[in-house]
C-alpha cells in the first residue's frame, strides 16, 4: 500500500518534466573502501548538483558529514546494508557474497532521506546468503511501510554465483521477485533493450538501470540511457560511469539532456 508519505517522496525523486529519475550513487566507499573519484565528497556532491541530478545514493557516515551539501539535490537515498559482493574473488574478498544490515529506517528518517536502498543478491553459491538478503529486504520493507519511506531494492545476481548478472532471464526473475517483496523502485543491471522492455512489462515497480563500472565513451553511455528510456525504464542510477570521468558536471548534464530528449 502506498502511504501519503511514500507518495510525496516518490514524486520528489522523479523529475517533474520527464517522469524519469537520474540518480548518482556514491555509496561505493562502504563496500570497497577508497576508489577513484570519491576522495573529495564536498566537491563531488556540488558537481552532481550542478549537473542536474534528481537523486543521489549515500552511506550514513557521508550523509551525516555532508548533509548541508546534499540539500542541493532534490532527493537522497540512504544505503541500509553492506556487502562483500564487489570484493568477491579479489585479494580482500571471499569466494562468495556476504551481506548485512548496518542501519535502519529510523536513522533514515532522522537524517532526512527520501528513500532507502538494500541489496537483493540471488543465485549465490551459498543458499543461506540469498536467504539473508531476503530477510534483510523483508525487514526494511516493513520499516518503510511504517515510516512512509520509499524502498529501493537493488536486485542482481551475486558475483561468484551460478548465474550471469546481465542474463535477461536472471534480470527478469530478480526484478519480479524484488517487486513482489514490496520494492517501490527496483535497481538492476542493463541486459539489452529487448531484455529491459520485458523486465519493465513484468515488474510491479518502476525499473532503474544501474550504470556498472566505468567503461566506454560518454557517447556510448548516453546511447545506453537513450535505449533505456525507449525500453520504458523510469530511472538511471549511474555512479562510477559518472564520478570517475574527468568532468562530472558535464557528464551528469549530458545524461540529463539525453533523458529529456528521449522522453519527448
Amino acid at each position: 500500500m502506498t502511504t501519503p508519505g511514500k507518495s510525496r517522496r516518490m514524486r520528489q525523486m522523479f523529475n517533474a518534466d520527464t517522469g524519469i529519475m537520474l540518480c548518482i550513487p556514491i555509496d561505493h566507499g562502504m563496500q570497497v573502501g577508497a576508489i577513484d573519484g570519491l576522495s573529495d565528497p564536498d566537491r563531488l556532491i556540488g558537481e552532481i548538483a550542478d549537473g542536474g541530478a534528481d537523486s543521489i545514493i549515500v552511506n550514513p557516515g557521508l550523509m551525516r558529514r555532508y548533509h548541508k551539501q546534499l540539500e542541493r539535490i532534490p532527493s537522497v537515498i540512504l544505503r541500509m546494508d553492506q556487502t562483500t559482493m564487489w570484493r568477491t574473488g579479489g585479494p580482500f574478498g571471499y569466494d562468495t557474497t556476504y551481506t548485512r544490515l548496518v542501519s535502519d529506517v529510523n536513522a533514515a528518517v532522522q537524517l532526512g532521506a527520501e528513500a532507502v536502498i538494500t541489496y537483493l543478491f540471488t543465485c549465490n553459491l551459498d543458499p543461506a546468503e540469498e536467504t539473508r538478503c531476503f530477510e534483510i529486504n523483508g525487514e526494511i520493507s516493513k520499516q518503510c511501510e511504517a515510516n512512509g519511506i520509499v524502498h529501493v531494492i537493488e536486485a542482481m545476481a551475486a558475483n561468484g554465483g551460478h548465474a550471469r548478472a546481465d542474463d535477461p532471464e536472471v534480470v527478469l526473475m530478480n526484478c519480479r521477485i524484488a517487486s513482489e517483496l514490496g520494492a517501490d523502485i527496483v535497481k538492476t543491471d542493463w541486459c539489452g533493450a529487448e531484455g529491459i522492455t520485458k523486465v519493465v512489462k513484468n515488474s510491479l515497480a518502476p525499473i532503474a538501470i544501474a550504470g556498472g563500472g566505468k567503461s566506454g565513451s560518454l557517447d556510448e553511455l548516453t546511447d545506453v540511457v537513450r535505449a533505456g528510456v525507449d525500453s520504458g525504464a523510469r530511472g538511471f542510477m549511474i555512479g562510477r560511469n559518472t564520478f570517475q570521468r574527468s568532468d562530472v558536471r558535464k557528464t551528469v548534464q549530458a545524461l540529463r539532456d539525453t533523458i529529456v530528449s528521449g522522453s519527448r
Side-chain angles (χ1 to χ4, degrees):
M1 181 177 67
T2 300
T3 64
K6 273 197 179 190
S7 180
R8 288 179 63 87
R9 290 180 174 99
M10 283 281 280
R11 284 200 304 273
Q12 194 166 335
M13 295 171 71
F14 290 84
N15 185 273
D17 295 326
T18 65
I20 297 173
M21 171 180 56
L22 175 59
C23 174
I24 312 301
I26 62 170
D27 58 329
H28 305 65
M30 191 167 68
Q31 316 305 333
V32 296
I35 62 172
D36 291 344
L38 293 183
S39 61
D40 187 353
D42 192 9
R43 174 197 57 77
L44 178 60
I45 293 167
E47 292 182 352
I48 290 169
D50 290 341
D54 303 301
S55 189
I56 189 169
I57 302 176
V58 298
N59 298 312
L62 195 149
M63 189 165 185
R64 290 188 182 98
R65 288 171 174 82
Y66 296 97
H67 61 93
K68 293 300 293 183
Q69 295 90 321
L70 288 166
E71 290 176 4
R72 297 186 57 204
I73 299 173
S75 62
V76 175
I77 303 171
L78 190 66
R79 170 65 66 184
M80 294 280 98
D81 49 0
Q82 192 277 339
T83 184
T84 64
M85 159 86 161
W86 312 115
R87 307 200 316 262
T88 301
F92 307 119
Y94 306 92
D95 293 333
T96 190
T97 295
Y98 299 95
T99 305
R100 72 279 288 172
L101 274 173
V102 296
S103 190
D104 59 25
V105 175
N106 283 335
V109 172
Q110 292 166 5
L111 289 168
E114 279 66 43
V116 299
I117 185 167
T118 49
Y119 290 113
L120 177 64
F121 296 126
T122 67
C123 306
N124 200 302
L125 290 181
D126 183 354
E129 291 307 316
E130 182 175 305
T131 297
R132 178 61 182 144
C133 277
F134 274 80
E135 291 170 347
I136 288 171
N137 278 279
E139 174 59 29
I140 293 299
S141 181
K142 287 190 293 185
Q143 293 180 20
C144 286
E145 286 300 312
N147 288 278
I149 288 230
V150 176
H151 187 192
V152 183
I153 295 182
E154 185 167 355
M156 298 176 171
N159 281 342
H162 54 80
R164 282 193 359 257
D166 61 350
D167 181 335
E169 291 305 310
V170 174
V171 175
L172 176 64
M173 176 188 75
N174 289 347
C175 291
R176 180 64 188 223
I177 288 172
S179 62
E180 293 279 4
L181 272 170
D184 299 297
I185 301 167
V186 179
K187 176 185 177 183
T188 197
D189 290 296
W190 174 251
C191 60
E194 183 178 348
I196 290 299
T197 299
K198 189 174 181 180
V199 167
V200 168
K201 182 179 179 181
N202 285 276
S203 175
L204 307 179
I207 295 297
I209 305 301
K214 182 181 178 298
S215 63
S217 67
L218 180 55
D219 285 342
E220 289 171 319
L221 180 59
T222 56
D223 284 345
V224 171
V225 170
R226 189 173 294 107
V229 172
D230 292 341
S231 300
R234 291 282 311 283
F236 297 89
M237 296 182 166
I238 303 175
R240 288 166 293 172
N241 255 315
T242 297
F243 66 71
Q244 289 185 336
R245 294 185 186 271
S246 58
D247 191 329
V248 175
R249 185 204 59 76
K250 179 182 177 182
T251 301
V252 176
Q253 184 61 61
L255 296 173
R256 165 58 52 215
D257 291 345
T258 300
I259 292 171
V260 170
S261 63
S263 62
R264 287 173 178 162

